[in-house]
Amino acid sequence: MDEIEGTTCRKYMTISAWPHGLEPDDEAFQDEDGYCIGTGVWSEISDSERPIDVRILAGTDQDEAVTMLRKIADWLEQHGHRFSDSEGGDAVDEAQD
């Protein structure tokens, strides 16, 4: 990884979830309950040691947020190993299958 003045370029996998009623985009799939889950990979210059960063849009219904976080956890249990094994590429591509 590249280093710039004490920081490191880190590769992250992004996982987004949104409730039924909103259409999936080209980077997402819809589960059996109608929720959409999308994945991606991005790099960021950072000095953070935090391996996980969760963002929830302000005003999101608590029950919906909990449901979507559980769906993300289910996805990670089924597909997350692909990110660790391949540094991201296969997890994103194969999750769409």
Side-chain angles (χ1 to χ4, degrees):
M1 292 188 197
D2 298 327
E3 300 237 355
I4 299 174
E5 297 180 25
T7 61
T8 301
C9 183
R10 300 182 189 279
K11 192 173 198 178
Y12 293 89
M13 180 169 80
T14 63
I15 305 172
S16 301
W18 54 95
H20 51 282
L22 297 175
E23 294 297 316
D25 59 25
D26 292 340
E27 302 298 319
F29 64 94
Q30 198 165 27
D31 75 4
E32 64 278 357
D33 298 324
Y35 286 85
C36 297
I37 298 175
T39 60
V41 176
W42 100 94
S43 296
E44 177 180 296
I45 302 294
S46 174
D47 61 356
S48 175
E49 295 298 322
R50 295 175 294 180
I52 298 174
D53 185 9
V54 176
R55 299 183 320 157
I56 299 173
L57 184 64
T60 300
D61 177 77
Q62 179 181 355
D63 292 337
E64 285 286 324
V66 169
T67 296
M68 289 183 276
L69 287 169
R70 285 192 176 117
K71 289 183 174 293
I72 289 171
D74 291 344
W75 184 90
L76 279 169
E77 287 179 344
Q78 295 174 17
H79 304 284
H81 67 280
R82 296 179 185 152
F83 182 74
S84 297
D85 295 345
S86 66
E87 306 232 358
D90 291 344
V92 174
D93 296 336
E94 294 178 27
Q96 309 300 321
D97 298 336

